[in-house]
Amino acid sequence: MPSVAEASVSLETLSASFPLTIPVPTPVTHPSLISAKDLHREEDLLRNPLSFRQWWAAINTTREAQNALIKLEPALDTSPETAALLGPLASPVARQSLQRLTYLYEAALVNFAGSFKLWKSYLQMRMSYVLGKQITKRRGGGRKRLPDIKDALEEEQEDLEQWEGGLDGVVGWEEWKSLVAAFERALMWLPKLPRLWLMYLSIFNHPNCPAVLSHSHARRTYDRALRTLPPSLHHRIWVRYLLWAEARGGFTTVAVYRRYLAIDPSITERYTAILLSPSNPAPRPLEAAKLLLLLSRMAARGEYESPEGKSPYQLLGEWLDVVEAHAEDVGLDVEEADRDTAAKDKEGGADSAQQPQLGDGTLVRLAGPPTAAAGADGQPASAYDADEDPNNTRKLNIEAIVRKDGLAVYKDQAGRLWTGLATYWIKRGEFERAKETFETGLASVLTIRDFTQIFDAYAEFSESVVSALMEELADPDAEDEEFDAKETEEELDGKMREFEALMDRRPFLVNDVLLRRNPNDVQEWEKRVALWGQDDDKVAETYTAALSTVAPRKASPNFHRLYINFAKFYEEGGTAGEAEADLASARKVLEKATKVNFRNVEDLAEIWCEWAEMEVRHENYDDAIRVMQRATAVPKNTKVNYHDHALPVQIRLFKSLKLWSFYVDLEESLGTVESTKAVYDKILELRIANAQIIVNYAAFLEENKYFEESFKVYERGVELFTFPVSFEIWNIYLSKFVKRYGGTKLERARDLFEQALDKCPPKSCKPIFLMYAQLEEEHGLAKRAMAIYDRATQAVENEDKFEMFTIYIAKAGASYGLTATRPIYERALDTLPDRQTAKMCLRFAALERKLGEIDRARAIYAHAAQFCDPRTHAEFWAEWHAFEIDTGSEDTFREMLRIKRSVQAQFNTEASYLAAQTLATRGGDSAGAGEAEAPLDPMAAAERQAGPAFVAAKQQPQRRAEDEGDSDDEGGDQEPQPSPAGKTAAAGNADEIHISDEEEDL
C-alpha cells in the first residue's frame, strides 16, 4: 500500500503535465507541434492569413488526423485510477493533439477574433478534452418556442449536458482555469451571443468542475450574463441559473429564487417545495408558509393563477399542511397570538371610527396605521403585511389567518380548517386551546360532513390523550422526580369522563348542526325533544325554543304538530306521565297556536280539532262545543277565496271542510238534532260540502225519521254537483226513495228517474236504467218496462250494449214470449259492434232453431260468418258445422264450406295470420295436438310446409260429376274404384258427408 508521501508525489507528477494551453503553444516553445508534413500547410497559411477557408480546412484536416492517431494509439500502461483522473488527456498523443489544435485555433483567432463559428468550434474542442465526451440524448417531438418557466425548467432538467470521463478538477486545475480564460476571451469579443454564454455556463454543471469555479465564480458569471444579454434572452439564462441554484442548495438557492420571484411569481410553488424538501439540509418552513399564504390570497383576488391548476382553497390547504407539520417554526404561541389578535382588533376599531371630513365629503386621516398609496390603475395598492413577506422573520398568527382567510371565505370547508387549526395547537402542546378549538368548530359548522370530520379528529385526540396517560401510569419514568401517580390517575379519570361525555353528546351535536343549517326543520326539533327522553324541563325548554325559532311560513311540513305535541305534553303530565295534567298550560299553547299564520289552512283546522278533542277526552263537552263554535265563526264577508295564500289562514279558516266535518261529528255525538241540522245547513250554505257530506246529512235525517227532509238534502246535492259525482248521490237517492215508497208514489219516482237520466252520461246510466226498469216491473207496467229497456240499449256505452240487449231479450221473452224477441235480436245485430255481433248471432240462431225455423237459423249463421275468422273463432264454425250435420243436406254443407273458405281468404293477410297463430298458441296445445294426429294427404302436407303464402283448404272436392257419368255409362251396375289418392283425400277430409248409393239413386 503506497504511503502518503508517495501519493503526494504522484499527485504532483500528474499535475506537472499541466497546463497544456497556457501559455499558448507555438512551434517556438513546442517544436513538436509542426512536422515536415505540415510545412506546406504553414506556407499556405502564411501566404493567405486572411482566408477563412484556408484556416478552416487546415483545422479540420488536423483534427481528423489527430483523432485517427488517438484511435491508433496502443493501450496505456497507466493504472485505471490515473486514467480516470486525467480523463481524455491521459495519453501523450491526446495532450499533443490538444496543443496542436490549440495552436491552430489561436493563430486563426488572431485574424478572425470576431468569428462566432471559429470561437464555437474552438471552445467545443477545448471542452471535449477537458470535460470528456458529451452524451447525446435523443429527444422525441419538438420544443415550445417560448414555454412557461415551469415547463422550461422540466425540459431543461431533462436536457442538461452529461459527459463521460473528464479531467479531474484538482489534477487539471490549471487546464480548467485555462478553459475558463478561453471562454472569457470569447465573451470579450462576442458578449451578446447567448449560445456562448450557455456553453460557458454548462461547464459549471460538470461533476469534476473545481469548487472555486462551480460556486462563486459560476454565480458571478450567471449575473454577468443577465447584465450583458438583453431582457428578451434572459429566460434562457434564468432556466439554467435556477437549476444550478437548486443543485447548489443552501442560501444560494434562496437568494437566486428570491431574485427571480420578484419578477415572475409563477414558480413560487416549486420554490416552496424546494424549501420543504426532505433532501434540503436547512428547510425554511416559515418562508414557505408565507409564500403559500401570499399565493392563496393573490389567487382569491384573481391576481395569480396556479400553473398546476390549483384553486385558492387548495393553496390554503397546502399552507395549512405546512403549518401542521412545522407548528413550532411557523406560528405564534397562545399568549403571543392573543396579544396579536387584540392589537389587530384595536386597530380595526380605530380605523372604523368616524373621521373628520372636508367640505367635499372626503375623509381627513389624522391618525391610525399608514394606508397604501394608489396604484397606477387608480386602485389602492395593497398595504404591507408582514404575514406575506417571506423575508420577514416574524411568525404567523395561525388562528387569526384561519378565521379570516379560511372560515370567513370557504364556509363549505369548515371541517378541514377547524381540524387543521386544532392540529396546529396539538403540535405545539396547547391541548386546552386545541380542545377549545374543537368545541368552537362543533358549535359552528353547518354540514354533517364537516361535523363528522371535526368530531372524529376530536375523539381521536381525546383517545390519544387517554392512551398517553395510561402508558405513563403503566411505565413511569424513574428519572422524573416530579411524577405523581395519584395525580396522574385523577387526571386520567377526568379525561375518561370527558371522553365518555363527548360520545354521549354526539346525537345532540348532530342535531345542533342540522338545526343550524335549517332552524325551520320541524322534524329535527321533534328529534331534539326525543333525545331528552324523560327530562321534562329540557323537553319544555326545547318546545319553547322551537316555537320561538321556527318561522311558520318557512317551516317544513307538520309545524302545527309541534303545538299539538307541546299541548299533549302538558295534558299528559310530562313525557312519563308522572306529573299532574296541566290543562291550563295546554290551553295556553293551543290558544297561541290559533294565532299563528300557518302555511296551510288545514294545519290551523287541525289545531282547533285537537283542542276540541282534548276537551272531550277530559269530558268538558260544553267547552269542546264552544271551541268549535269559535273556530267556525263565519265573518261578515264570506266572499273569500279559500286558495288565496296571500290572506292569513285565520281569515280562510271558516271554509275548511275538515273543521266543519269535525264540528258536525261533534254535534251528532253531543248536540241535538236541531243543532246538527244547523251545522249541516251552514256547510251547504257556504257551498263547501262534498258528496260525502250530502250522504251523511241525508243518512242522519233518515236515522232520525226525517225522511222527506233527507230527500230534500239529496235533491240539493244533485243540484250542487254534476256527473260523475252526482251519479253516486242519484244512486243512493233513488234506491232510498224506492225502498221508502215503493209504488205508492210512482209518478214522483218516474219523475226522479227521468231527471236522473236527463243529464246522465252513457257511462253511468246503466244502473239507473236497470233500477228504473225494475221499478216498472214491480210496481208499474210491463210495457213501460220494455220501453225503458229499449231506451237503455240505445243510451248506454258500446261496452254495455251487449249485456243490456241480453237483459232486454230475457225480460221480453219472459213477458211476451220468444217470438217477441226477434225484433230485438235484429236490432241488436244492427247496433252491436262486429266482435259482439257473432256472439249475438249464435244466440239468435239457437232461438230460431228452438222455434223450428231452420232456414232462418242458417241465414243467421251465414250473416254472422263474415265477422268470424276460422282461425280465431273456431267455436262459431264448430257450432255451424254441428248444425249442418244435424239439420242440413249435402248442398247446405257445401255452401257452409264455401263460405268458410271465402271468409278465410278474406282474412288471409299476414297480420291477421300472425294474430291467429298467436291466439291459437295461447289457446293451448290440445287442439294443435289433435290436428297433428289427423292424417294429411301429400298435397296438404306440402301446402302446410310452404307457409302462410296461401291458406290450404281442409276439404277436397269430390269428383261427383265424373262418378255420375261413369255410373250412367256402365248402367249403374259397376261402382267406380277410387284411386289411392282419392282414398287418401277421403280419409283426410273430416268435413265430408257420407251419402250411400241408395240416397244417390233417389
Side-chain angles (χ1 to χ4, degrees), residues 356-475:
Q357 296 186 3
L358 295 176
D360 57 356
T362 58
L363 296 178
V364 179
R365 191 172 187 84
L366 300 179
T371 58
D377 55 354
Q379 299 293 332
S382 57
Y384 174 76
D385 190 350
D387 295 343
E388 300 176 0
D389 184 6
N391 298 325
N392 194 319
T393 58
R394 180 180 178 276
K395 294 184 179 181
L396 301 174
N397 186 349
I398 304 300
E399 185 167 352
I401 294 173
V402 169
R403 290 179 181 273
K404 175 184 176 183
D405 297 287
L407 296 171
V409 179
Y410 309 106
K411 299 182 184 299
D412 57 335
Q413 301 294 335
R416 171 68 182 95
L417 296 172
W418 282 113
T419 305
L421 179 58
T423 305
Y424 162 75
W425 289 120
I426 293 172
K427 291 293 184 67
R428 293 191 64 93
E430 303 290 346
F431 295 148
E432 292 301 323
R433 191 60 171 261
K435 180 180 175 182
E436 180 182 344
T437 302
F438 278 126
E439 292 289 346
T440 306
L442 291 176
S444 61
V445 294
L446 300 176
T447 63
I448 295 297
R449 184 194 65 178
D450 294 336
F451 168 80
T452 304
Q453 195 170 2
I454 298 175
F455 186 85
D456 291 345
Y458 192 6
E460 184 179 356
F461 161 68
S462 301
E463 189 175 356
S464 63
V465 171
V466 172
S467 300
L469 291 175
M470 294 177 67
E471 292 177 1
E472 185 177 0
L473 282 175
D475 187 13

Side-chain angles (χ1 to χ4, degrees), residues 38-116:
D38 300 328
L39 293 177
H40 181 67
R41 181 199 68 193
E42 293 293 325
E43 291 175 355
D44 290 339
L45 294 176
L46 289 174
R47 283 194 297 268
N48 301 301
L50 300 179
S51 175
F52 185 81
R53 182 177 295 178
Q54 291 288 343
W55 284 103
W56 191 251
I59 290 172
N60 287 334
T61 302
T62 304
R63 183 168 61 237
E64 292 174 359
Q66 295 302 320
N67 290 337
L69 289 176
I70 293 174
K71 291 181 179 179
L72 296 175
E73 184 182 13
L76 300 176
D77 56 353
T78 59
S79 62
E81 292 80 4
T82 303
L85 292 174
L86 297 178
L89 299 176
S91 65
V93 176
R95 292 193 288 270
Q96 189 175 15
S97 297
L98 174 61
Q99 290 179 332
R100 288 180 177 179
L101 291 173
T102 302
Y103 159 67
L104 285 176
Y105 274 111
E106 292 288 347
L109 288 171
V110 172
N111 298 304
F112 304 101
S115 174
F116 169 72

Side-chain angles (χ1 to χ4, degrees), residues 561-826:
R561 298 300 308 176
L562 280 178
Y563 285 97
I564 293 173
N565 294 336
F566 194 15
K568 286 185 177 180
F569 168 77
Y570 283 118
E571 178 191 358
E572 296 173 357
T575 55
E578 297 176 356
E580 294 183 1
D582 189 356
L583 291 182
S585 299
R587 291 190 184 100
K588 289 180 181 179
V589 172
L590 294 174
E591 182 69 33
K592 183 180 179 181
T594 59
K595 297 178 175 59
V596 176
N597 186 18
F598 293 100
R599 184 182 298 178
N600 299 318
V601 178
E602 299 303 319
D603 297 343
L604 181 58
E606 190 168 350
I607 292 289
W608 285 104
C609 295
E610 288 290 339
W611 191 352
E613 284 187 358
M614 182 186 72
E615 300 294 349
V616 171
R617 283 194 296 269
H618 293 274
E619 299 181 357
N620 298 326
Y621 304 120
D622 295 338
D623 292 340
I625 295 295
R626 280 192 291 270
V627 167
M628 294 311 299
Q629 288 174 351
R630 284 182 56 195
T632 57
V634 179
K636 294 181 180 179
N637 182 18
T638 59
K639 296 180 180 180
V640 175
N641 186 1
Y642 178 78
H643 301 286
D644 186 3
H645 293 280
L647 298 175
V649 292
Q650 284 78 8
I651 297 178
R652 298 177 285 152
L653 178 63
F654 73 96
K655 284 196 173 184
S656 172
L657 183 59
K658 180 178 182 180
L659 185 68
W660 283 101
S661 298
F662 182 83
Y663 186 20
V664 77
D665 290 342
L666 198 62
E667 286 290 350
E668 288 186 15
S669 302
L670 304 176
T672 62
V673 175
E674 296 301 325
S675 62
T676 306
K677 287 171 60 178
V679 175
Y680 272 119
D681 291 337
K682 199 63 179 179
I683 295 174
L684 296 176
E685 180 183 346
L686 293 173
R687 304 184 68 85
I688 60 174
N690 56 15
Q692 188 63 47
I693 292 293
I694 300 296
V695 174
N696 292 344
Y697 188 13
F700 170 75
L701 293 173
E702 184 180 356
E703 289 177 1
N704 290 277
K705 309 302 181 181
Y706 294 92
F707 298 104
E708 284 299 328
E709 292 189 18
S710 69
F711 295 150
K712 290 180 181 179
V713 171
Y714 283 125
E715 291 177 0
R716 293 178 66 180
V718 297
E719 291 176 0
L720 289 174
F721 301 100
T722 59
F723 285 94
V725 177
S726 63
F727 167 75
E728 300 297 337
I729 301 177
W730 275 115
N731 200 9
I732 299 173
Y733 180 22
L734 294 174
S735 61
K736 295 288 186 180
F737 188 87
V738 171
K739 182 180 178 181
R740 171 66 179 169
Y741 293 110
T744 57
K745 296 185 179 182
L746 189 58
E747 290 301 325
R748 182 179 172 186
R750 287 171 179 168
D751 291 340
L752 291 177
F753 276 108
E754 292 297 335
Q755 291 178 22
L757 294 172
D758 186 23
K759 298 180 180 180
C760 184
K763 184 178 180 180
S764 305
C765 63
K766 175 185 170 183
I768 299 178
F769 272 115
L770 293 177
M771 195 184 306
Y772 191 7
Q774 185 178 2
L775 173 67
E776 291 293 345
E777 289 178 7
E778 294 178 356
H779 306 286
L781 301 176
K783 182 179 180 181
R784 294 182 64 90
M786 294 303 106
I788 293 171
Y789 282 123
D790 185 65
R791 285 173 58 191
T793 57
Q794 301 174 10
V796 298
E797 285 192 332
N798 291 335
E799 288 76 5
D800 298 330
K801 284 185 178 181
F802 183 84
E803 184 180 357
M804 206 69 227
F805 271 111
T806 303
I807 298 173
Y808 185 15
I809 291 170
K811 295 294 184 180
S815 300
Y816 300 106
L818 296 179
T819 56
T821 61
R822 282 176 177 168
I824 303 174
Y825 273 114
E826 291 173 359

Side-chain angles (χ1 to χ4, degrees), residues 856-904:
R856 290 176 62 88
R858 186 174 290 110
I860 293 171
Y861 279 121
H863 173 74
Q866 60 182 323
F867 308 114
C868 300
D869 186 354
R871 291 165 300 193
T872 57
H873 295 78
E875 67 281 356
F876 170 80
W877 293 99
E879 186 171 342
W880 193 4
H881 181 275
F883 171 76
E884 294 296 344
I885 292 294
D886 295 339
T887 62
S889 62
E890 183 178 0
D891 293 336
T892 59
F893 192 85
R894 286 177 178 173
E895 182 64 16
M896 183 268 292
L897 296 179
R898 184 191 66 78
I899 294 174
K900 183 177 182 180
R901 286 193 297 271
S902 65
V903 171
Q904 191 168 10

